[in-house]
Amino acid sequence: MSAGFQLGVIGSLALSVASSVAIVICNKALISTLGFPFATTLTSWHLMVTFCTLHVAQRLHFFEPKAIDGQTVILFGLLNGTSIGLLNLSLGFNSIGFYQMTKLAIIPFTVLLETIFLKKRFSESIKLSLLVLLLGVGIASVTDLKLNLLGSILSGLAIATTCVGQILTNTIQKRLKVSSTQLLYQSAPYQAAILFATGPFVDQLLTNRSVFAHKYSAPVLGFIVLSCLIAVSVNFSTFLVIGTTSPVTYQVLGHLKTCLVLSFGYTLLHDPFTLRNILGILVAIFGMALYSYFSVRESKKKSINDALPVSQMPEKEAEPLLATKDSNDTKKANGLSHDC
């Protein structure tokens, strides 16, 4: 792994954290302080502004568009848009605690899907670090766990669509050799379209208020514009992080944002903060540190093994050179699983 690539990954992670924390603080002021509760409709505006910004950037030749199969892009865009709407509905029909549990469930479900369908292998060290992380975030953010049938169904659908969408974000970029910018540019209109069409109805269902009847004062309009501008960075960094790392790493990063938002809420907005929150955040940070350490160690080990010439491979890797035909066939079959 080159130094330039590592710096790019670190930069994308930093951009994702900074922009996500910024938009949470902005939206909290917009929704809680200024009384604009239409989150799904706001997200559709975010995606429309993102597409328009990327279109201008493309016209100015900051990046070259790349044609992607139309059916793939449409289905991908609609899936991601649907997952956003389902997450908002899950929050509306469940308690805060159950919604946080829904978000926590995305990591193990993503690991399960990648293991089953992509044959990806996660070491015991990585699984342990993820368990510590989830435990910490759970302690810090999960309070009550009130269950209801409709809310549970919506949460299940939200988990499934979010996991599949994020896995596809990574898979499409790597298999079709498109950049995060090119994929976002192609899919953003479809994500925006489904949320623009359904957002007002979802928001009215959740708030009993109409986005069209809301009084748009100057401060409200100002924060909406600011939120949309920050969202360009959020959407871009999301695709960038998933493309350069993995869906699981992006979810780990998401829980770091949760811890930072809790901390900023206490220091800047004077939200209630207990010893339990502090303990949970510390445990979560420890889990993130473990995940980072084990991920980097395994990545370096893989890079070293890939770089070794055949003559320097461990003895059991060089065996096929002297083995019989049957042995060769067996080794090749075993080797296929490492390519996935």
PDB file of all heavy atoms in Angstrom, residues 264-301:
ATOM      1  N   PHE A 264     -19.782  16.649  21.452  1.00  0.00           N
ATOM      2  CA  PHE A 264     -20.053  18.034  21.056  1.00  0.00           C
ATOM      3  C   PHE A 264     -21.386  18.514  21.625  1.00  0.00           C
ATOM      4  O   PHE A 264     -21.536  19.687  21.983  1.00  0.00           O
ATOM      5  CB  PHE A 264     -20.065  18.156  19.529  1.00  0.00           C
ATOM      6  CG  PHE A 264     -18.701  18.301  18.926  1.00  0.00           C
ATOM      7  CD1 PHE A 264     -18.204  17.334  18.065  1.00  0.00           C
ATOM      8  CD2 PHE A 264     -17.902  19.395  19.220  1.00  0.00           C
ATOM      9  CE1 PHE A 264     -16.943  17.454  17.504  1.00  0.00           C
ATOM     10  CE2 PHE A 264     -16.631  19.526  18.665  1.00  0.00           C
ATOM     11  CZ  PHE A 264     -16.155  18.561  17.806  1.00  0.00           C
ATOM     12  N   GLY A 265     -22.358  17.604  21.663  1.00  0.00           N
ATOM     13  CA  GLY A 265     -23.657  17.979  22.228  1.00  0.00           C
ATOM     14  C   GLY A 265     -23.536  18.413  23.680  1.00  0.00           C
ATOM     15  O   GLY A 265     -24.221  19.332  24.135  1.00  0.00           O
ATOM     16  N   TYR A 266     -22.649  17.735  24.406  1.00  0.00           N
ATOM     17  CA  TYR A 266     -22.447  18.084  25.813  1.00  0.00           C
ATOM     18  C   TYR A 266     -21.678  19.396  25.963  1.00  0.00           C
ATOM     19  O   TYR A 266     -22.053  20.265  26.742  1.00  0.00           O
ATOM     20  CB  TYR A 266     -21.688  16.961  26.524  1.00  0.00           C
ATOM     21  CG  TYR A 266     -21.279  17.307  27.938  1.00  0.00           C
ATOM     22  CD1 TYR A 266     -22.230  17.429  28.949  1.00  0.00           C
ATOM     23  CD2 TYR A 266     -19.936  17.531  28.261  1.00  0.00           C
ATOM     24  CE1 TYR A 266     -21.853  17.751  30.241  1.00  0.00           C
ATOM     25  CE2 TYR A 266     -19.559  17.854  29.551  1.00  0.00           C
ATOM     26  CZ  TYR A 266     -20.523  17.964  30.533  1.00  0.00           C
ATOM     27  OH  TYR A 266     -20.151  18.299  31.815  1.00  0.00           O
ATOM     28  N   THR A 267     -20.603  19.556  25.192  1.00  0.00           N
ATOM     29  CA  THR A 267     -19.739  20.726  25.369  1.00  0.00           C
ATOM     30  C   THR A 267     -20.322  21.988  24.739  1.00  0.00           C
ATOM     31  O   THR A 267     -20.203  23.081  25.307  1.00  0.00           O
ATOM     32  CB  THR A 267     -18.348  20.456  24.761  1.00  0.00           C
ATOM     33  OG1 THR A 267     -18.507  20.066  23.391  1.00  0.00           O
ATOM     34  CG2 THR A 267     -17.643  19.354  25.518  1.00  0.00           C
ATOM     35  N   LEU A 268     -20.969  21.852  23.560  1.00  0.00           N
ATOM     36  CA  LEU A 268     -21.451  23.043  22.855  1.00  0.00           C
ATOM     37  C   LEU A 268     -22.929  23.330  23.105  1.00  0.00           C
ATOM     38  O   LEU A 268     -23.332  24.495  23.221  1.00  0.00           O
ATOM     39  CB  LEU A 268     -21.221  22.888  21.345  1.00  0.00           C
ATOM     40  CG  LEU A 268     -19.766  22.728  20.889  1.00  0.00           C
ATOM     41  CD1 LEU A 268     -19.706  22.565  19.373  1.00  0.00           C
ATOM     42  CD2 LEU A 268     -18.929  23.921  21.331  1.00  0.00           C
ATOM     43  N   LEU A 269     -23.748  22.270  23.166  1.00  0.00           N
ATOM     44  CA  LEU A 269     -25.194  22.458  23.282  1.00  0.00           C
ATOM     45  C   LEU A 269     -25.726  22.142  24.676  1.00  0.00           C
ATOM     46  O   LEU A 269     -26.918  22.233  24.921  1.00  0.00           O
ATOM     47  CB  LEU A 269     -25.906  21.571  22.237  1.00  0.00           C
ATOM     48  CG  LEU A 269     -25.437  21.769  20.780  1.00  0.00           C
ATOM     49  CD1 LEU A 269     -26.113  20.761  19.869  1.00  0.00           C
ATOM     50  CD2 LEU A 269     -25.713  23.196  20.317  1.00  0.00           C
ATOM     51  N   HIS A 270     -24.820  21.734  25.581  1.00  0.00           N
ATOM     52  CA  HIS A 270     -25.181  21.449  26.982  1.00  0.00           C
ATOM     53  C   HIS A 270     -26.254  20.370  27.110  1.00  0.00           C
ATOM     54  O   HIS A 270     -27.158  20.457  27.933  1.00  0.00           O
ATOM     55  CB  HIS A 270     -25.641  22.740  27.681  1.00  0.00           C
ATOM     56  CG  HIS A 270     -24.639  23.860  27.574  1.00  0.00           C
ATOM     57  ND1 HIS A 270     -23.406  23.821  28.195  1.00  0.00           N
ATOM     58  CD2 HIS A 270     -24.688  25.037  26.882  1.00  0.00           C
ATOM     59  CE1 HIS A 270     -22.737  24.938  27.907  1.00  0.00           C
ATOM     60  NE2 HIS A 270     -23.481  25.688  27.110  1.00  0.00           N
ATOM     61  N   ASP A 271     -26.143  19.335  26.241  1.00  0.00           N
ATOM     62  CA  ASP A 271     -27.043  18.188  26.373  1.00  0.00           C
ATOM     63  C   ASP A 271     -26.689  17.410  27.633  1.00  0.00           C
ATOM     64  O   ASP A 271     -25.539  17.440  28.098  1.00  0.00           O
ATOM     65  CB  ASP A 271     -26.907  17.262  25.158  1.00  0.00           C
ATOM     66  CG  ASP A 271     -27.498  17.876  23.905  1.00  0.00           C
ATOM     67  OD1 ASP A 271     -28.279  18.837  24.035  1.00  0.00           O
ATOM     68  OD2 ASP A 271     -27.161  17.409  22.796  1.00  0.00           O
ATOM     69  N   PRO A 272     -27.674  16.688  28.203  1.00  0.00           N
ATOM     70  CA  PRO A 272     -27.386  15.871  29.398  1.00  0.00           C
ATOM     71  C   PRO A 272     -26.301  14.841  29.104  1.00  0.00           C
ATOM     72  O   PRO A 272     -26.287  14.213  28.041  1.00  0.00           O
ATOM     73  CB  PRO A 272     -28.733  15.190  29.686  1.00  0.00           C
ATOM     74  CG  PRO A 272     -29.755  16.048  29.022  1.00  0.00           C
ATOM     75  CD  PRO A 272     -29.089  16.624  27.813  1.00  0.00           C
ATOM     76  N   PHE A 273     -25.380  14.659  30.049  1.00  0.00           N
ATOM     77  CA  PHE A 273     -24.249  13.739  29.860  1.00  0.00           C
ATOM     78  C   PHE A 273     -24.021  13.026  31.178  1.00  0.00           C
ATOM     79  O   PHE A 273     -23.867  13.663  32.221  1.00  0.00           O
ATOM     80  CB  PHE A 273     -23.003  14.543  29.461  1.00  0.00           C
ATOM     81  CG  PHE A 273     -22.078  13.805  28.562  1.00  0.00           C
ATOM     82  CD1 PHE A 273     -22.503  13.355  27.317  1.00  0.00           C
ATOM     83  CD2 PHE A 273     -20.754  13.561  28.930  1.00  0.00           C
ATOM     84  CE1 PHE A 273     -21.637  12.683  26.458  1.00  0.00           C
ATOM     85  CE2 PHE A 273     -19.887  12.892  28.079  1.00  0.00           C
ATOM     86  CZ  PHE A 273     -20.332  12.458  26.849  1.00  0.00           C
ATOM     87  N   THR A 274     -23.999  11.683  31.142  1.00  0.00           N
ATOM     88  CA  THR A 274     -23.866  10.913  32.367  1.00  0.00           C
ATOM     89  C   THR A 274     -22.570  10.118  32.366  1.00  0.00           C
ATOM     90  O   THR A 274     -21.866  10.040  31.351  1.00  0.00           O
ATOM     91  CB  THR A 274     -25.049   9.938  32.508  1.00  0.00           C
ATOM     92  OG1 THR A 274     -24.983   8.976  31.439  1.00  0.00           O
ATOM     93  CG2 THR A 274     -26.386  10.668  32.447  1.00  0.00           C
ATOM     94  N   LEU A 275     -22.280   9.499  33.503  1.00  0.00           N
ATOM     95  CA  LEU A 275     -21.108   8.629  33.609  1.00  0.00           C
ATOM     96  C   LEU A 275     -21.209   7.468  32.635  1.00  0.00           C
ATOM     97  O   LEU A 275     -20.205   7.020  32.071  1.00  0.00           O
ATOM     98  CB  LEU A 275     -20.990   8.104  35.047  1.00  0.00           C
ATOM     99  CG  LEU A 275     -19.784   7.200  35.341  1.00  0.00           C
ATOM    100  CD1 LEU A 275     -18.482   7.963  35.100  1.00  0.00           C
ATOM    101  CD2 LEU A 275     -19.855   6.677  36.776  1.00  0.00           C
ATOM    102  N   ARG A 276     -22.438   7.010  32.406  1.00  0.00           N
ATOM    103  CA  ARG A 276     -22.654   5.917  31.447  1.00  0.00           C
ATOM    104  C   ARG A 276     -22.230   6.347  30.033  1.00  0.00           C
ATOM    105  O   ARG A 276     -21.608   5.568  29.308  1.00  0.00           O
ATOM    106  CB  ARG A 276     -24.130   5.524  31.464  1.00  0.00           C
ATOM    107  CG  ARG A 276     -24.502   4.519  30.390  1.00  0.00           C
ATOM    108  CD  ARG A 276     -25.960   4.119  30.493  1.00  0.00           C
ATOM    109  NE  ARG A 276     -26.374   3.355  29.338  1.00  0.00           N
ATOM    110  CZ  ARG A 276     -27.534   2.742  29.221  1.00  0.00           C
ATOM    111  NH1 ARG A 276     -28.413   2.797  30.198  1.00  0.00           N
ATOM    112  NH2 ARG A 276     -27.848   2.077  28.136  1.00  0.00           N
ATOM    113  N   ASN A 277     -22.581   7.581  29.629  1.00  0.00           N
ATOM    114  CA  ASN A 277     -22.161   8.082  28.320  1.00  0.00           C
ATOM    115  C   ASN A 277     -20.643   8.106  28.196  1.00  0.00           C
ATOM    116  O   ASN A 277     -20.080   7.696  27.176  1.00  0.00           O
ATOM    117  CB  ASN A 277     -22.703   9.498  28.092  1.00  0.00           C
ATOM    118  CG  ASN A 277     -24.210   9.569  28.053  1.00  0.00           C
ATOM    119  OD1 ASN A 277     -24.823  10.424  28.698  1.00  0.00           O
ATOM    120  ND2 ASN A 277     -24.837   8.681  27.295  1.00  0.00           N
ATOM    121  N   ILE A 278     -19.983   8.593  29.239  1.00  0.00           N
ATOM    122  CA  ILE A 278     -18.519   8.693  29.227  1.00  0.00           C
ATOM    123  C   ILE A 278     -17.888   7.311  29.128  1.00  0.00           C
ATOM    124  O   ILE A 278     -16.984   7.076  28.317  1.00  0.00           O
ATOM    125  CB  ILE A 278     -18.014   9.421  30.488  1.00  0.00           C
ATOM    126  CG1 ILE A 278     -18.534  10.859  30.510  1.00  0.00           C
ATOM    127  CG2 ILE A 278     -16.494   9.414  30.543  1.00  0.00           C
ATOM    128  CD1 ILE A 278     -18.254  11.596  31.807  1.00  0.00           C
ATOM    129  N   LEU A 279     -18.385   6.359  29.939  1.00  0.00           N
ATOM    130  CA  LEU A 279     -17.864   4.999  29.916  1.00  0.00           C
ATOM    131  C   LEU A 279     -18.050   4.365  28.543  1.00  0.00           C
ATOM    132  O   LEU A 279     -17.133   3.742  27.984  1.00  0.00           O
ATOM    133  CB  LEU A 279     -18.561   4.151  30.988  1.00  0.00           C
ATOM    134  CG  LEU A 279     -18.190   2.663  31.020  1.00  0.00           C
ATOM    135  CD1 LEU A 279     -16.711   2.490  31.341  1.00  0.00           C
ATOM    136  CD2 LEU A 279     -19.053   1.916  32.042  1.00  0.00           C
ATOM    137  N   GLY A 280     -19.250   4.531  27.982  1.00  0.00           N
ATOM    138  CA  GLY A 280     -19.537   3.952  26.673  1.00  0.00           C
ATOM    139  C   GLY A 280     -18.642   4.505  25.583  1.00  0.00           C
ATOM    140  O   GLY A 280     -18.141   3.763  24.728  1.00  0.00           O
ATOM    141  N   ILE A 281     -18.431   5.819  25.595  1.00  0.00           N
ATOM    142  CA  ILE A 281     -17.581   6.454  24.586  1.00  0.00           C
ATOM    143  C   ILE A 281     -16.148   5.948  24.700  1.00  0.00           C
ATOM    144  O   ILE A 281     -15.485   5.650  23.699  1.00  0.00           O
ATOM    145  CB  ILE A 281     -17.637   7.990  24.721  1.00  0.00           C
ATOM    146  CG1 ILE A 281     -19.003   8.493  24.239  1.00  0.00           C
ATOM    147  CG2 ILE A 281     -16.514   8.657  23.935  1.00  0.00           C
ATOM    148  CD1 ILE A 281     -19.219   9.978  24.450  1.00  0.00           C
ATOM    149  N   LEU A 282     -15.644   5.806  25.935  1.00  0.00           N
ATOM    150  CA  LEU A 282     -14.275   5.315  26.131  1.00  0.00           C
ATOM    151  C   LEU A 282     -14.124   3.872  25.636  1.00  0.00           C
ATOM    152  O   LEU A 282     -13.128   3.531  24.989  1.00  0.00           O
ATOM    153  CB  LEU A 282     -13.892   5.412  27.611  1.00  0.00           C
ATOM    154  CG  LEU A 282     -13.714   6.837  28.170  1.00  0.00           C
ATOM    155  CD1 LEU A 282     -13.443   6.789  29.669  1.00  0.00           C
ATOM    156  CD2 LEU A 282     -12.591   7.561  27.448  1.00  0.00           C
ATOM    157  N   VAL A 283     -15.121   3.034  25.934  1.00  0.00           N
ATOM    158  CA  VAL A 283     -15.084   1.642  25.459  1.00  0.00           C
ATOM    159  C   VAL A 283     -15.140   1.609  23.931  1.00  0.00           C
ATOM    160  O   VAL A 283     -14.412   0.853  23.271  1.00  0.00           O
ATOM    161  CB  VAL A 283     -16.248   0.825  26.058  1.00  0.00           C
ATOM    162  CG1 VAL A 283     -16.310  -0.569  25.413  1.00  0.00           C
ATOM    163  CG2 VAL A 283     -16.085   0.689  27.566  1.00  0.00           C
ATOM    164  N   ALA A 284     -16.008   2.456  23.333  1.00  0.00           N
ATOM    165  CA  ALA A 284     -16.140   2.503  21.873  1.00  0.00           C
ATOM    166  C   ALA A 284     -14.839   2.957  21.217  1.00  0.00           C
ATOM    167  O   ALA A 284     -14.405   2.390  20.203  1.00  0.00           O
ATOM    168  CB  ALA A 284     -17.282   3.442  21.482  1.00  0.00           C
ATOM    169  N   ILE A 285     -14.198   3.969  21.796  1.00  0.00           N
ATOM    170  CA  ILE A 285     -12.932   4.459  21.244  1.00  0.00           C
ATOM    171  C   ILE A 285     -11.854   3.375  21.325  1.00  0.00           C
ATOM    172  O   ILE A 285     -11.055   3.200  20.403  1.00  0.00           O
ATOM    173  CB  ILE A 285     -12.482   5.740  21.977  1.00  0.00           C
ATOM    174  CG1 ILE A 285     -13.431   6.897  21.611  1.00  0.00           C
ATOM    175  CG2 ILE A 285     -11.039   6.102  21.638  1.00  0.00           C
ATOM    176  CD1 ILE A 285     -13.173   8.167  22.382  1.00  0.00           C
ATOM    177  N   PHE A 286     -11.865   2.613  22.429  1.00  0.00           N
ATOM    178  CA  PHE A 286     -10.929   1.499  22.560  1.00  0.00           C
ATOM    179  C   PHE A 286     -11.185   0.461  21.469  1.00  0.00           C
ATOM    180  O   PHE A 286     -10.250  -0.064  20.846  1.00  0.00           O
ATOM    181  CB  PHE A 286     -11.056   0.870  23.950  1.00  0.00           C
ATOM    182  CG  PHE A 286     -10.162  -0.316  24.170  1.00  0.00           C
ATOM    183  CD1 PHE A 286      -8.779  -0.184  24.177  1.00  0.00           C
ATOM    184  CD2 PHE A 286     -10.705  -1.583  24.373  1.00  0.00           C
ATOM    185  CE1 PHE A 286      -7.952  -1.272  24.364  1.00  0.00           C
ATOM    186  CE2 PHE A 286      -9.897  -2.690  24.571  1.00  0.00           C
ATOM    187  CZ  PHE A 286      -8.504  -2.529  24.571  1.00  0.00           C
ATOM    188  N   GLY A 287     -12.452   0.155  21.218  1.00  0.00           N
ATOM    189  CA  GLY A 287     -12.805  -0.792  20.154  1.00  0.00           C
ATOM    190  C   GLY A 287     -12.376  -0.292  18.784  1.00  0.00           C
ATOM    191  O   GLY A 287     -11.874  -1.059  17.957  1.00  0.00           O
ATOM    192  N   MET A 288     -12.548   1.026  18.531  1.00  0.00           N
ATOM    193  CA  MET A 288     -12.109   1.601  17.255  1.00  0.00           C
ATOM    194  C   MET A 288     -10.591   1.514  17.103  1.00  0.00           C
ATOM    195  O   MET A 288     -10.074   1.240  16.010  1.00  0.00           O
ATOM    196  CB  MET A 288     -12.542   3.062  17.157  1.00  0.00           C
ATOM    197  CG  MET A 288     -14.039   3.269  17.032  1.00  0.00           C
ATOM    198  SD  MET A 288     -14.461   5.021  17.123  1.00  0.00           S
ATOM    199  CE  MET A 288     -16.106   4.924  17.807  1.00  0.00           C
ATOM    200  N   ALA A 289      -9.881   1.762  18.203  1.00  0.00           N
ATOM    201  CA  ALA A 289      -8.417   1.671  18.167  1.00  0.00           C
ATOM    202  C   ALA A 289      -7.982   0.241  17.847  1.00  0.00           C
ATOM    203  O   ALA A 289      -7.060   0.025  17.039  1.00  0.00           O
ATOM    204  CB  ALA A 289      -7.830   2.124  19.497  1.00  0.00           C
ATOM    205  N   LEU A 290      -8.643  -0.738  18.467  1.00  0.00           N
ATOM    206  CA  LEU A 290      -8.329  -2.139  18.169  1.00  0.00           C
ATOM    207  C   LEU A 290      -8.602  -2.461  16.707  1.00  0.00           C
ATOM    208  O   LEU A 290      -7.792  -3.108  16.036  1.00  0.00           O
ATOM    209  CB  LEU A 290      -9.165  -3.062  19.069  1.00  0.00           C
ATOM    210  CG  LEU A 290      -8.775  -3.178  20.538  1.00  0.00           C
ATOM    211  CD1 LEU A 290      -9.771  -4.072  21.269  1.00  0.00           C
ATOM    212  CD2 LEU A 290      -7.361  -3.739  20.687  1.00  0.00           C
ATOM    213  N   TYR A 291      -9.759  -2.011  16.211  1.00  0.00           N
ATOM    214  CA  TYR A 291     -10.123  -2.282  14.812  1.00  0.00           C
ATOM    215  C   TYR A 291      -9.089  -1.665  13.867  1.00  0.00           C
ATOM    216  O   TYR A 291      -8.651  -2.301  12.906  1.00  0.00           O
ATOM    217  CB  TYR A 291     -11.515  -1.724  14.509  1.00  0.00           C
ATOM    218  CG  TYR A 291     -11.940  -1.918  13.079  1.00  0.00           C
ATOM    219  CD1 TYR A 291     -12.445  -3.133  12.637  1.00  0.00           C
ATOM    220  CD2 TYR A 291     -11.830  -0.883  12.152  1.00  0.00           C
ATOM    221  CE1 TYR A 291     -12.819  -3.321  11.321  1.00  0.00           C
ATOM    222  CE2 TYR A 291     -12.201  -1.058  10.829  1.00  0.00           C
ATOM    223  CZ  TYR A 291     -12.705  -2.280  10.419  1.00  0.00           C
ATOM    224  OH  TYR A 291     -13.068  -2.451   9.108  1.00  0.00           O
ATOM    225  N   SER A 292      -8.687  -0.422  14.138  1.00  0.00           N
ATOM    226  CA  SER A 292      -7.695   0.251  13.294  1.00  0.00           C
ATOM    227  C   SER A 292      -6.372  -0.497  13.318  1.00  0.00           C
ATOM    228  O   SER A 292      -5.740  -0.720  12.274  1.00  0.00           O
ATOM    229  CB  SER A 292      -7.488   1.697  13.768  1.00  0.00           C
ATOM    230  OG  SER A 292      -8.695   2.425  13.711  1.00  0.00           O
ATOM    231  N   TYR A 293      -5.942  -0.905  14.521  1.00  0.00           N
ATOM    232  CA  TYR A 293      -4.656  -1.604  14.668  1.00  0.00           C
ATOM    233  C   TYR A 293      -4.662  -2.924  13.905  1.00  0.00           C
ATOM    234  O   TYR A 293      -3.747  -3.216  13.120  1.00  0.00           O
ATOM    235  CB  TYR A 293      -4.365  -1.842  16.152  1.00  0.00           C
ATOM    236  CG  TYR A 293      -3.176  -2.745  16.396  1.00  0.00           C
ATOM    237  CD1 TYR A 293      -1.876  -2.278  16.217  1.00  0.00           C
ATOM    238  CD2 TYR A 293      -3.358  -4.078  16.795  1.00  0.00           C
ATOM    239  CE1 TYR A 293      -0.777  -3.109  16.420  1.00  0.00           C
ATOM    240  CE2 TYR A 293      -2.273  -4.905  17.001  1.00  0.00           C
ATOM    241  CZ  TYR A 293      -0.989  -4.421  16.818  1.00  0.00           C
ATOM    242  OH  TYR A 293       0.089  -5.247  17.017  1.00  0.00           O
ATOM    243  N   PHE A 294      -5.714  -3.722  14.119  1.00  0.00           N
ATOM    244  CA  PHE A 294      -5.767  -5.031  13.464  1.00  0.00           C
ATOM    245  C   PHE A 294      -5.937  -4.893  11.948  1.00  0.00           C
ATOM    246  O   PHE A 294      -5.374  -5.677  11.182  1.00  0.00           O
ATOM    247  CB  PHE A 294      -6.898  -5.879  14.045  1.00  0.00           C
ATOM    248  CG  PHE A 294      -6.649  -6.335  15.462  1.00  0.00           C
ATOM    249  CD1 PHE A 294      -7.619  -6.160  16.440  1.00  0.00           C
ATOM    250  CD2 PHE A 294      -5.449  -6.936  15.811  1.00  0.00           C
ATOM    251  CE1 PHE A 294      -7.387  -6.579  17.749  1.00  0.00           C
ATOM    252  CE2 PHE A 294      -5.220  -7.360  17.115  1.00  0.00           C
ATOM    253  CZ  PHE A 294      -6.194  -7.176  18.085  1.00  0.00           C
ATOM    254  N   SER A 295      -6.711  -3.892  11.507  1.00  0.00           N
ATOM    255  CA  SER A 295      -6.912  -3.690  10.068  1.00  0.00           C
ATOM    256  C   SER A 295      -5.603  -3.318   9.385  1.00  0.00           C
ATOM    257  O   SER A 295      -5.261  -3.851   8.328  1.00  0.00           O
ATOM    258  CB  SER A 295      -7.956  -2.596   9.823  1.00  0.00           C
ATOM    259  OG  SER A 295      -9.223  -2.984  10.289  1.00  0.00           O
ATOM    260  N   VAL A 296      -4.862  -2.379   9.989  1.00  0.00           N
ATOM    261  CA  VAL A 296      -3.581  -1.956   9.413  1.00  0.00           C
ATOM    262  C   VAL A 296      -2.586  -3.109   9.413  1.00  0.00           C
ATOM    263  O   VAL A 296      -1.867  -3.335   8.431  1.00  0.00           O
ATOM    264  CB  VAL A 296      -3.020  -0.740  10.193  1.00  0.00           C
ATOM    265  CG1 VAL A 296      -1.581  -0.450   9.764  1.00  0.00           C
ATOM    266  CG2 VAL A 296      -3.890   0.487   9.977  1.00  0.00           C
ATOM    267  N   ARG A 297      -2.554  -3.876  10.520  1.00  0.00           N
ATOM    268  CA  ARG A 297      -1.610  -5.003  10.608  1.00  0.00           C
ATOM    269  C   ARG A 297      -1.908  -6.049   9.544  1.00  0.00           C
ATOM    270  O   ARG A 297      -0.996  -6.533   8.868  1.00  0.00           O
ATOM    271  CB  ARG A 297      -1.690  -5.634  12.005  1.00  0.00           C
ATOM    272  CG  ARG A 297      -0.597  -6.672  12.257  1.00  0.00           C
ATOM    273  CD  ARG A 297      -0.719  -7.283  13.635  1.00  0.00           C
ATOM    274  NE  ARG A 297      -1.890  -8.151  13.755  1.00  0.00           N
ATOM    275  CZ  ARG A 297      -2.163  -8.890  14.824  1.00  0.00           C
ATOM    276  NH1 ARG A 297      -1.364  -8.844  15.879  1.00  0.00           N
ATOM    277  NH2 ARG A 297      -3.240  -9.657  14.862  1.00  0.00           N
ATOM    278  N   GLU A 298      -3.195  -6.373   9.358  1.00  0.00           N
ATOM    279  CA  GLU A 298      -3.550  -7.379   8.358  1.00  0.00           C
ATOM    280  C   GLU A 298      -3.327  -6.861   6.941  1.00  0.00           C
ATOM    281  O   GLU A 298      -2.947  -7.618   6.050  1.00  0.00           O
ATOM    282  CB  GLU A 298      -5.014  -7.802   8.558  1.00  0.00           C
ATOM    283  CG  GLU A 298      -5.222  -8.587   9.846  1.00  0.00           C
ATOM    284  CD  GLU A 298      -6.672  -9.005  10.052  1.00  0.00           C
ATOM    285  OE1 GLU A 298      -7.455  -8.885   9.090  1.00  0.00           O
ATOM    286  OE2 GLU A 298      -7.000  -9.450  11.166  1.00  0.00           O
ATOM    287  N   SER A 299      -3.556  -5.566   6.743  1.00  0.00           N
ATOM    288  CA  SER A 299      -3.325  -4.975   5.426  1.00  0.00           C
ATOM    289  C   SER A 299      -1.844  -5.017   5.068  1.00  0.00           C
ATOM    290  O   SER A 299      -1.469  -5.346   3.932  1.00  0.00           O
ATOM    291  CB  SER A 299      -3.825  -3.529   5.413  1.00  0.00           C
ATOM    292  OG  SER A 299      -3.575  -2.926   4.176  1.00  0.00           O
ATOM    293  N   LYS A 300      -0.977  -4.705   6.045  1.00  0.00           N
ATOM    294  CA  LYS A 300       0.471  -4.755   5.798  1.00  0.00           C
ATOM    295  C   LYS A 300       0.925  -6.184   5.519  1.00  0.00           C
ATOM    296  O   LYS A 300       1.741  -6.437   4.627  1.00  0.00           O
ATOM    297  CB  LYS A 300       1.231  -4.192   6.999  1.00  0.00           C
ATOM    298  CG  LYS A 300       1.160  -2.677   7.124  1.00  0.00           C
ATOM    299  CD  LYS A 300       1.963  -2.186   8.310  1.00  0.00           C
ATOM    300  CE  LYS A 300       1.943  -0.664   8.388  1.00  0.00           C
ATOM    301  NZ  LYS A 300       2.698  -0.166   9.576  1.00  0.00           N
ATOM    302  N   LYS A 301       0.391  -7.130   6.285  1.00  0.00           N
ATOM    303  CA  LYS A 301       0.760  -8.534   6.090  1.00  0.00           C
ATOM    304  C   LYS A 301       0.356  -9.003   4.694  1.00  0.00           C
ATOM    305  O   LYS A 301       1.117  -9.688   4.010  1.00  0.00           O
ATOM    306  CB  LYS A 301       0.080  -9.400   7.153  1.00  0.00           C
ATOM    307  CG  LYS A 301       0.504 -10.863   7.129  1.00  0.00           C
ATOM    308  CD  LYS A 301      -0.291 -11.675   8.123  1.00  0.00           C
ATOM    309  CE  LYS A 301      -0.040 -11.239   9.550  1.00  0.00           C
ATOM    310  NZ  LYS A 301      -0.753 -12.123  10.520  1.00  0.00           N
TER     311      LYS A 301
END
